[in-house]
Amino acid sequence: MNPKKSTPKLTLDQESVAAWVFLTPALFLMAIFIVWPIIYLIYLSFTQGSFTRSGVEFVGFTNYLRLIVSPDFWQVIGNTIYFTIATVIPSLVIPLALAVMLDQTLMFRGFLRTAYFIPSITSLVAVGLGWRWLFQTDGPVNGFLSQIGFDPIPWLSSTVWAMPVLILLSIWKQLGFNLVVFLAGLQTIPINRYEAAELDGAGPWQKFWYVTLPGLQPTLVFATVTTVIFTLRSFEPVYVITGGGPLNSTNLLVYYIYEQAFSQFDFGYAAAAATLLLAIALVLVYFQLQIFGEDQASK
């Protein structure tokens, strides 16, 4: 037997062992703080009761059936879909446009990038309190509307206007993060692609559509997934600004789960709603990755 042939196998085994040694602590932490809570959440969704001496009892799919027949739950689902769509699209389009403009100018780029990013690192509770002050009935926004001849709008007590206030806050909060992500993605597009497009007579719009967007596709995948997750888990703005009102018009799924668990102490029902939220998030992320992945593979 040639001893040289056994060396690659020995090296591969050593590398595998070293990889598992380094991965084990991270996998252990993931199992404790991610996998186990998800398993326990699914288990709770099939139970009823509370964490007292009476304990919990297994009730099968009762909690899921309660969700299906609950009008409040379907209203919350509708609110969440409306909030997510109205937030995600502007949260991607506006930062992308700003990133393209900032990438083409050298003046104040660093200052503007920092200014746009500040909302992303600001506490949502503090921002929510400030937003509630701005949009209260006698707040600065209505004061400005009165000065230009418009009647004051009951922003936070109106079933029509309360949700747009939350959407505007969510867009403002996410804008800076996506702007920085898109700026980083623009730096990875080779300049010779734009030069080749100019030689072919492409204008600004053609260069954006045929060079910038294809080059940003991996960045768009990341920004879309993170924005959807950020939007679906929105809780603080609802808690601080509207409390789910008026008439349940701003009650989002995460806040609904919180209410059922810690106001009604219906942990099994809340766990069922949380499990559905997890399933919705996984399905949305899966389809986003599939769609963008197929587009990327075809190119």
mmCIF file of all heavy atoms in Angstrom, residues 217-239:
data_model
loop_
_atom_site.group_PDB
_atom_site.id
_atom_site.type_symbol
_atom_site.label_atom_id
_atom_site.label_comp_id
_atom_site.label_asym_id
_atom_site.label_seq_id
_atom_site.Cartn_x
_atom_site.Cartn_y
_atom_site.Cartn_z
ATOM 1 N N GLN A 217 -28.793 41.983 -6.702
ATOM 2 C CA GLN A 217 -29.776 40.954 -6.374
ATOM 3 C C GLN A 217 -29.499 40.237 -5.054
ATOM 4 O O GLN A 217 -30.422 40.064 -4.242
ATOM 5 C CB GLN A 217 -29.879 39.942 -7.506
ATOM 6 C CG GLN A 217 -31.072 39.019 -7.358
ATOM 7 C CD GLN A 217 -31.445 38.361 -8.657
ATOM 8 O OE1 GLN A 217 -30.615 37.733 -9.287
ATOM 9 N NE2 GLN A 217 -32.689 38.497 -9.063
ATOM 10 N N PRO A 218 -28.253 39.813 -4.752
ATOM 11 C CA PRO A 218 -28.027 39.212 -3.431
ATOM 12 C C PRO A 218 -28.321 40.185 -2.289
ATOM 13 O O PRO A 218 -28.842 39.785 -1.251
ATOM 14 C CB PRO A 218 -26.536 38.828 -3.476
ATOM 15 C CG PRO A 218 -26.205 38.732 -4.919
ATOM 16 C CD PRO A 218 -27.042 39.769 -5.596
ATOM 17 N N THR A 219 -27.983 41.453 -2.490
ATOM 18 C CA THR A 219 -28.265 42.457 -1.464
ATOM 19 C C THR A 219 -29.759 42.655 -1.304
ATOM 20 O O THR A 219 -30.260 42.828 -0.187
ATOM 21 C CB THR A 219 -27.598 43.796 -1.839
ATOM 22 O OG1 THR A 219 -26.216 43.567 -2.101
ATOM 23 C CG2 THR A 219 -27.734 44.799 -0.718
ATOM 24 N N LEU A 220 -30.506 42.633 -2.410
ATOM 25 C CA LEU A 220 -31.962 42.764 -2.352
ATOM 26 C C LEU A 220 -32.595 41.593 -1.597
ATOM 27 O O LEU A 220 -33.564 41.783 -0.854
ATOM 28 C CB LEU A 220 -32.540 42.850 -3.759
ATOM 29 C CG LEU A 220 -32.444 44.209 -4.453
ATOM 30 C CD1 LEU A 220 -32.802 44.079 -5.927
ATOM 31 C CD2 LEU A 220 -33.366 45.219 -3.776
ATOM 32 N N VAL A 221 -32.059 40.402 -1.780
ATOM 33 C CA VAL A 221 -32.562 39.238 -1.047
ATOM 34 C C VAL A 221 -32.399 39.468 0.451
ATOM 35 O O VAL A 221 -33.343 39.295 1.244
ATOM 36 C CB VAL A 221 -31.834 37.958 -1.479
ATOM 37 C CG1 VAL A 221 -32.253 36.784 -0.608
ATOM 38 C CG2 VAL A 221 -32.121 37.649 -2.939
ATOM 39 N N PHE A 222 -31.194 39.861 0.854
ATOM 40 C CA PHE A 222 -30.924 40.087 2.274
ATOM 41 C C PHE A 222 -31.806 41.198 2.830
ATOM 42 O O PHE A 222 -32.412 41.054 3.906
ATOM 43 C CB PHE A 222 -29.444 40.445 2.458
ATOM 44 C CG PHE A 222 -29.092 40.843 3.859
ATOM 45 C CD1 PHE A 222 -28.921 39.883 4.848
ATOM 46 C CD2 PHE A 222 -28.936 42.183 4.208
ATOM 47 C CE1 PHE A 222 -28.602 40.247 6.146
ATOM 48 C CE2 PHE A 222 -28.616 42.551 5.493
ATOM 49 C CZ PHE A 222 -28.450 41.587 6.465
ATOM 50 N N ALA A 223 -31.911 42.317 2.114
ATOM 51 C CA ALA A 223 -32.699 43.451 2.599
ATOM 52 C C ALA A 223 -34.180 43.093 2.680
ATOM 53 O O ALA A 223 -34.872 43.487 3.632
ATOM 54 C CB ALA A 223 -32.497 44.660 1.683
ATOM 55 N N THR A 224 -34.684 42.353 1.708
ATOM 56 C CA THR A 224 -36.092 41.972 1.718
ATOM 57 C C THR A 224 -36.410 41.048 2.878
ATOM 58 O O THR A 224 -37.397 41.241 3.600
ATOM 59 C CB THR A 224 -36.475 41.288 0.392
ATOM 60 O OG1 THR A 224 -36.173 42.164 -0.694
ATOM 61 C CG2 THR A 224 -37.949 40.945 0.366
ATOM 62 N N VAL A 225 -35.569 40.042 3.087
ATOM 63 C CA VAL A 225 -35.806 39.081 4.169
ATOM 64 C C VAL A 225 -35.754 39.774 5.523
ATOM 65 O O VAL A 225 -36.638 39.591 6.376
ATOM 66 C CB VAL A 225 -34.793 37.932 4.094
ATOM 67 C CG1 VAL A 225 -34.870 37.059 5.342
ATOM 68 C CG2 VAL A 225 -35.035 37.084 2.858
ATOM 69 N N THR A 226 -34.717 40.587 5.759
ATOM 70 C CA THR A 226 -34.600 41.257 7.052
ATOM 71 C C THR A 226 -35.723 42.262 7.279
ATOM 72 O O THR A 226 -36.221 42.404 8.402
ATOM 73 C CB THR A 226 -33.241 41.976 7.158
ATOM 74 O OG1 THR A 226 -33.072 42.870 6.036
ATOM 75 C CG2 THR A 226 -32.104 40.978 7.190
ATOM 76 N N THR A 227 -36.172 42.943 6.222
ATOM 77 C CA THR A 227 -37.254 43.914 6.370
ATOM 78 C C THR A 227 -38.571 43.217 6.684
ATOM 79 O O THR A 227 -39.354 43.693 7.523
ATOM 80 C CB THR A 227 -37.404 44.766 5.097
ATOM 81 O OG1 THR A 227 -36.155 45.399 4.806
ATOM 82 C CG2 THR A 227 -38.463 45.835 5.272
ATOM 83 N N VAL A 228 -38.837 42.099 6.021
ATOM 84 C CA VAL A 228 -40.064 41.353 6.296
ATOM 85 C C VAL A 228 -40.067 40.849 7.735
ATOM 86 O O VAL A 228 -41.077 40.953 8.449
ATOM 87 C CB VAL A 228 -40.210 40.175 5.307
ATOM 88 C CG1 VAL A 228 -41.316 39.229 5.750
ATOM 89 C CG2 VAL A 228 -40.510 40.705 3.916
ATOM 90 N N ILE A 229 -38.940 40.308 8.189
ATOM 91 C CA ILE A 229 -38.859 39.812 9.563
ATOM 92 C C ILE A 229 -39.031 40.961 10.558
ATOM 93 O O ILE A 229 -39.762 40.837 11.556
ATOM 94 C CB ILE A 229 -37.521 39.084 9.786
ATOM 95 C CG1 ILE A 229 -37.481 37.803 8.944
ATOM 96 C CG2 ILE A 229 -37.321 38.750 11.255
ATOM 97 C CD1 ILE A 229 -36.151 37.084 8.984
ATOM 98 N N PHE A 230 -38.358 42.085 10.307
ATOM 99 C CA PHE A 230 -38.481 43.248 11.181
ATOM 100 C C PHE A 230 -39.935 43.722 11.253
ATOM 101 O O PHE A 230 -40.437 44.076 12.326
ATOM 102 C CB PHE A 230 -37.593 44.384 10.664
ATOM 103 C CG PHE A 230 -37.810 45.699 11.352
ATOM 104 C CD1 PHE A 230 -37.216 45.961 12.576
ATOM 105 C CD2 PHE A 230 -38.615 46.671 10.786
ATOM 106 C CE1 PHE A 230 -37.419 47.174 13.221
ATOM 107 C CE2 PHE A 230 -38.819 47.886 11.411
ATOM 108 C CZ PHE A 230 -38.226 48.142 12.630
ATOM 109 N N THR A 231 -40.626 43.703 10.120
ATOM 110 C CA THR A 231 -42.005 44.185 10.084
ATOM 111 C C THR A 231 -42.948 43.221 10.788
ATOM 112 O O THR A 231 -43.830 43.641 11.541
ATOM 113 C CB THR A 231 -42.450 44.387 8.619
ATOM 114 O OG1 THR A 231 -41.516 45.250 7.960
ATOM 115 C CG2 THR A 231 -43.829 45.013 8.554
ATOM 116 N N LEU A 232 -42.772 41.915 10.560
ATOM 117 C CA LEU A 232 -43.661 40.939 11.173
ATOM 118 C C LEU A 232 -43.542 40.917 12.695
ATOM 119 O O LEU A 232 -44.513 40.610 13.387
ATOM 120 C CB LEU A 232 -43.365 39.539 10.617
ATOM 121 C CG LEU A 232 -43.861 39.242 9.194
ATOM 122 C CD1 LEU A 232 -43.388 37.868 8.759
ATOM 123 C CD2 LEU A 232 -45.376 39.335 9.115
ATOM 124 N N ARG A 233 -42.368 41.246 13.223
ATOM 125 C CA ARG A 233 -42.199 41.208 14.675
ATOM 126 C C ARG A 233 -42.425 42.560 15.344
ATOM 127 O O ARG A 233 -42.065 42.753 16.503
ATOM 128 C CB ARG A 233 -40.797 40.698 15.016
ATOM 129 C CG ARG A 233 -39.668 41.624 14.617
ATOM 130 C CD ARG A 233 -38.312 41.084 15.061
ATOM 131 N NE ARG A 233 -37.219 41.965 14.711
ATOM 132 C CZ ARG A 233 -36.863 43.027 15.428
ATOM 133 N NH1 ARG A 233 -37.507 43.327 16.529
ATOM 134 N NH2 ARG A 233 -35.838 43.790 15.045
ATOM 135 N N SER A 234 -43.051 43.487 14.646
ATOM 136 C CA SER A 234 -43.295 44.818 15.199
ATOM 137 C C SER A 234 -44.207 44.718 16.420
ATOM 138 O O SER A 234 -45.313 44.173 16.354
ATOM 139 C CB SER A 234 -43.932 45.729 14.146
ATOM 140 O OG SER A 234 -43.039 45.982 13.091
ATOM 141 N N PHE A 235 -43.738 45.264 17.525
ATOM 142 C CA PHE A 235 -44.499 45.233 18.776
ATOM 143 C C PHE A 235 -44.479 46.574 19.489
ATOM 144 O O PHE A 235 -45.520 47.099 19.907
ATOM 145 C CB PHE A 235 -43.938 44.137 19.696
ATOM 146 C CG PHE A 235 -44.468 44.202 21.096
ATOM 147 C CD1 PHE A 235 -45.725 43.696 21.383
ATOM 148 C CD2 PHE A 235 -43.719 44.763 22.126
ATOM 149 C CE1 PHE A 235 -46.229 43.761 22.683
ATOM 150 C CE2 PHE A 235 -44.207 44.829 23.411
ATOM 151 C CZ PHE A 235 -45.462 44.321 23.701
ATOM 152 N N GLU A 236 -43.287 47.162 19.643
ATOM 153 C CA GLU A 236 -43.146 48.375 20.450
ATOM 154 C C GLU A 236 -44.006 49.538 19.962
ATOM 155 O O GLU A 236 -44.634 50.216 20.792
ATOM 156 C CB GLU A 236 -41.670 48.796 20.516
ATOM 157 C CG GLU A 236 -40.762 47.826 21.242
ATOM 158 C CD GLU A 236 -40.144 46.811 20.288
ATOM 159 O OE1 GLU A 236 -40.738 46.581 19.202
ATOM 160 O OE2 GLU A 236 -39.085 46.248 20.635
ATOM 161 N N PRO A 237 -44.055 49.827 18.635
ATOM 162 C CA PRO A 237 -44.891 50.959 18.209
ATOM 163 C C PRO A 237 -46.356 50.797 18.578
ATOM 164 O O PRO A 237 -47.009 51.758 19.005
ATOM 165 C CB PRO A 237 -44.694 50.983 16.683
ATOM 166 C CG PRO A 237 -43.389 50.313 16.460
ATOM 167 C CD PRO A 237 -43.303 49.261 17.501
ATOM 168 N N VAL A 238 -46.876 49.578 18.420
ATOM 169 C CA VAL A 238 -48.278 49.342 18.770
ATOM 170 C C VAL A 238 -48.480 49.493 20.271
ATOM 171 O O VAL A 238 -49.445 50.120 20.728
ATOM 172 C CB VAL A 238 -48.719 47.936 18.304
ATOM 173 C CG1 VAL A 238 -50.176 47.686 18.647
ATOM 174 C CG2 VAL A 238 -48.487 47.773 16.815
ATOM 175 N N TYR A 239 -47.562 48.940 21.043
ATOM 176 C CA TYR A 239 -47.671 48.988 22.500
ATOM 177 C C TYR A 239 -47.601 50.424 23.019
ATOM 178 O O TYR A 239 -48.360 50.809 23.919
ATOM 179 C CB TYR A 239 -46.555 48.149 23.122
ATOM 180 C CG TYR A 239 -46.578 48.100 24.633
ATOM 181 C CD1 TYR A 239 -47.447 47.241 25.297
ATOM 182 C CD2 TYR A 239 -45.728 48.902 25.385
ATOM 183 C CE1 TYR A 239 -47.464 47.185 26.686
ATOM 184 C CE2 TYR A 239 -45.748 48.861 26.766
ATOM 185 C CZ TYR A 239 -46.619 47.999 27.413
ATOM 186 O OH TYR A 239 -46.640 47.966 28.784
#
